[in-house]
């Protein structure tokens, strides 16, 4: 097995990409083959062990105050248990997932104003409905689906009204872009709510959350994007979050487009989405091929899911599947994946900004291209996590999120579970 040493990132050369936070230099060549030697069974055992550790630290040792979100909170543990059940068939994981969801749903109803999957009540209700469906508990399935629909109708009138407003004038700049207390992004906004509905419909049937409702919300998102892009040349759709035009997956353009790509798009809407994807491509840094975190940001540093090439690779992979005749989209996905590989391994472990999230970009490319090199690369990053994840968490500043799904070890467990069937892998909370 290759041995690695950490080296502090050096000075910044203007116009050239500098990898995130820490870079890793190798004593031998960095290749996929010399890092992907662990057998699949090893990843399965490691995933189960790590999942149990996540449960121990987040559920069994929980304090009175509970963060009920998927992103950084206890609901991320529930998601990890669900992924474990789907891979292993262990009904104990499913029962545990149900218990955690019940706790989170109770807290979320009174404490969360957001309705998204990752950071709001939508995640609790969506997971609750899916888990109940797996368990054959129809009353609880109907309960959680009803709660989600209740949230849908409570917000729909505002979303549609916002759509009408957006057609009249450009979007306001501020913390609540789009008005009516709801942004457009994946973490906190309309795209994140739509993703929760898509998640439910994947498991419960396409009309569990009626498509006509979702299309009305999607129309509001498109209308807002057109208004937000009214002053930008060659960009059909644009959104702001806290006054900034972010481009990445978490709070920016790539994440919103990724959700829109899951819907049937009329020709005009499809052309606007494709035009916006091409606009994103035009923002690549010429020397590195990486992407800025926001419009006009000159810093070429972040290579991760939240900001940078890793999230772009996943979004462009989805776009290439939706528009298979557009070779430019496929090439953009592959080029973004090359940036992730050549940038090496970052110092964090999580899905948002760490090695686990970056590994998922290779799994997306594997599904798109069917080329085995991408499975090798995903396993290479996973082997590194197998050897170093615990020490990286111990030495890092995780802000108390060491076992969370998006900033901690729960995301690594999900990655290892997905390596059991890499062609069926899905980035948690992003891919369906």
């Amino acid at each position: 097995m290759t041995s690695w040493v950490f080296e502090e990132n050096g000075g910044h050369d203007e116009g050239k990409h500098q990898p995130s936070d820490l870079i890793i230099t190798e004593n031998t060549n960095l290749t996929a083959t010399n890092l992907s030697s662990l057998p699949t069974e090893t990843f399965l055992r490691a995933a189960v062990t790590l999942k149990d550790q996540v449960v121990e630290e987040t559920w069994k040792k929980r304090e009175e105050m509970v963060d009920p979100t998927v992103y950084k909170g206890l609901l991320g543990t529930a998601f990890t248990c669900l992924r474990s059940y789907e891979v292993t068939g262990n009904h104990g994981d499913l029962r545990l997932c149900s218990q955690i969801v019940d706790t989170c749903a109770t807290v979320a109803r009174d404490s969360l104003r957001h309705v998204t999957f990752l950071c709001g009540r939508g995640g609790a209700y969506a997971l609750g409905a899916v888990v109940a469906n797996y368990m054959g508990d129809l009353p609880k399935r109907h309960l959680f689906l009803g709660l989600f629909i209740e949230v849908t109708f409570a917000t729909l009138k505002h979303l549609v009204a916002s759509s009408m407003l957006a057609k009249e004038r450009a979007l306001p700049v501020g913390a609540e872009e789009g008005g009516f207390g709801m942004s457009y992004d994946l973490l906190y906004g309309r795209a994140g709510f739509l993703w929760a509905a898509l998640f439910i419909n994947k498991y419960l049937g396409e009309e569990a959350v009626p498509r006509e409702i979702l299309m009305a919300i999607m129309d509001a998102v498109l209308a807002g994007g057109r208004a937000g892009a009214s002053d930008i040349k060659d960009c059909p759709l644009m959104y702001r979050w806290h006054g900034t035009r972010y481009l990445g997956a978490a709070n920016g353009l790539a994440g919103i487009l990724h959700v829109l790509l899951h819907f049937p798009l009329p020709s005009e809407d499809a052309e606007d989405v494709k035009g916006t994807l091409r606009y994103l491509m035009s923002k690549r840094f010429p020397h590195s091929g990486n992407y800025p975190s926001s419009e006009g940001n000159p810093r070429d540093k972040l290579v991760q899911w939240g900001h940078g090439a890793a999230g772009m690779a996943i979004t462009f992979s989805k776009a290439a599947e939706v528009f298979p005749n557009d070779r430019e989209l496929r090439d953009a996905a592959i080029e973004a994946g090359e940036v992730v590989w050549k940038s090496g391994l970052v110092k964090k472990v999580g899905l948002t900004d760490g090695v686990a999230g970056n590994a998922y970009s290779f799994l997306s490319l594997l599904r798109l291209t069917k080329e085995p090199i991408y499975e090798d690369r995903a396993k290479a990053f996973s082997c590194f996590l197998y050897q170093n994840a615990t020490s990286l968490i111990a030495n890092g500043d995780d802000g108390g999120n060491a076992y969370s799904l998006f900033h901690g070890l729960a995301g690594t467990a999900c990655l290892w579970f997905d390596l059991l069937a890499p062609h069926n892998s899905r980035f948690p909370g992003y891919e369906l």
Side-chain angles (χ1 to χ4, degrees):
M1 194 73 177
T2 303
S3 58
W4 300 90
V5 293
F6 286 99
E7 180 179 279
E8 290 290 341
N9 203 6
H12 179 77
D13 294 330
E14 186 65 27
K16 294 184 179 180
H17 165 65
Q18 297 293 317
S20 308
D21 301 324
L22 288 174
I23 58 176
I24 297 172
T25 59
E26 72 255 67
N27 293 338
T28 60
N29 290 331
L30 173 58
T31 65
T33 53
N34 69 18
L35 270 175
S36 59
S37 57
L38 288 179
T40 301
E41 294 77 11
T42 300
F43 285 121
L44 176 58
R45 290 194 297 270
V48 171
T49 299
L50 187 53
K51 178 266 301 179
D52 290 341
Q53 186 179 358
V54 168
V55 170
E56 179 69 27
E57 295 295 330
T58 61
W59 173 243
K60 295 183 179 178
K61 295 183 180 179
R62 66 189 183 281
E63 298 177 353
E64 186 173 337
M65 295 296 293
V66 171
D67 177 351
T69 67
V70 173
Y71 190 67
K72 289 184 181 180
L74 190 56
L75 208 57
T77 300
F79 187 98
T80 307
C81 291
L82 178 62
R83 183 61 56 89
S84 178
Y85 165 73
E86 291 175 329
V87 172
T88 67
N90 183 347
H91 283 269
D93 285 331
L94 191 61
R95 290 190 295 272
L96 179 58
C97 179
S98 179
Q99 294 172 23
I100 297 173
V101 167
D102 287 347
T103 296
C104 290
T106 300
V107 176
R109 189 162 195 177
D110 297 326
S111 67
L112 297 180
R113 70 180 182 88
H114 298 296
V115 294
T116 62
F117 184 83
L118 293 178
C119 295
R121 286 173 286 153
Y125 302 155
L127 269 175
V130 169
V131 172
N133 191 61
Y134 266 129
M135 299 180 74
D137 188 340
L138 292 183
K140 185 173 283 190
R141 176 187 185 274
H142 294 325
L143 170 65
F144 279 117
L145 183 58
L147 288 170
F148 189 86
I149 296 294
E150 178 184 309
V151 169
T152 303
F153 280 108
T155 57
L156 181 61
K157 59 182 179 180
H158 299 311
L159 297 178
V160 174
S162 178
S163 172
M164 295 176 180
L165 180 66
K167 292 175 182 177
E168 299 296 325
R169 59 181 176 82
L171 298 179
V173 176
E176 304 294 353
E177 287 76 6
F180 300 101
M182 198 172 192
S183 59
Y184 290 99
D185 63 306
L186 184 75
L187 288 190
Y188 303 108
R190 304 164 199 217
F193 174 75
L194 287 172
W195 198 94
L198 289 168
F199 180 78
I200 290 174
N201 286 357
K202 174 185 175 180
Y203 287 93
L204 273 61
E206 289 190 3
E207 287 296 319
V209 182
R211 181 58 62 102
E212 63 177 322
I213 293 176
L214 300 185
M215 295 304 289
I217 298 172
M218 190 190 76
D219 287 344
V221 173
L222 288 165
R226 289 176 180 126
S230 60
D231 60 340
I232 310 175
K233 184 179 179 182
D234 300 324
C235 181
L237 304 171
M238 181 55 72
Y239 306 88
R240 294 184 181 92
W241 189 72
H242 287 273
T244 299
R245 289 167 170 163
Y246 286 99
L247 302 181
N251 295 114
L253 194 54
I256 297 167
L257 293 175
H258 191 268
V259 173
L260 293 178
L261 287 164
H262 288 80
F263 289 91
L265 296 168
S267 58
E268 180 184 356
D269 297 339
E271 288 305 312
D272 280 353
V273 168
K274 285 195 285 187
T276 307
L277 288 163
R278 286 191 286 271
Y279 180 81
L280 265 181
M281 293 179 210
S282 74
K283 297 293 140 178
R284 286 176 289 195
F285 290 112
H287 295 287
S288 69
N290 191 35
Y291 290 79
S293 61
S294 59
E295 184 83 69
N297 192 326
R299 295 178 67 223
D300 184 5
K301 182 179 180 181
L302 302 176
V303 182
Q304 52 188 241
W305 172 78
H307 302 291
M312 297 297 179
I314 297 173
T315 292
F316 284 124
S317 290
K318 178 63 180 178
E321 293 173 1
V322 174
F323 305 116
N325 296 324
D326 195 326
R327 182 74 193 194
E328 191 177 10
L329 294 171
R330 180 186 175 94
D331 290 345
I334 292 171
E335 290 167 10
E338 289 302 307
V339 173
V340 177
W341 179 248
K342 292 175 181 178
S343 296
L345 295 152
V346 297
K347 71 173 183 178
K348 296 183 179 181
V349 304
L351 294 175
T352 296
D353 54 5
V355 178
N358 287 9
Y360 270 105
S361 66
F362 302 133
L363 294 177
S364 292
L365 287 165
L366 171 66
R367 296 196 308 275
L368 175 66
T369 68
K370 310 300 188 291
E371 293 290 339
I373 188 174
Y374 295 113
E375 181 176 353
D376 291 339
R377 288 179 174 183
K379 287 183 177 178
F381 277 28
S382 298
C383 284
F384 173 78
L385 287 171
Y386 181 81
Q387 289 192 327
N388 297 283
T390 302
S391 61
L392 289 177
I393 283 289
N395 295 327
D397 179 15
D398 56 67
N401 301 305
Y403 295 92
S404 70
L405 183 60
F406 270 72
H407 285 268
L409 292 171
T412 297
C414 287
L415 172 65
W416 291 344
F417 280 125
D418 271 335
L419 289 179
L420 274 292
H423 288 277
N424 296 323
S425 66
R426 294 294 185 271
F427 191 112
Y430 197 55
E431 295 180 299
L432 286 159

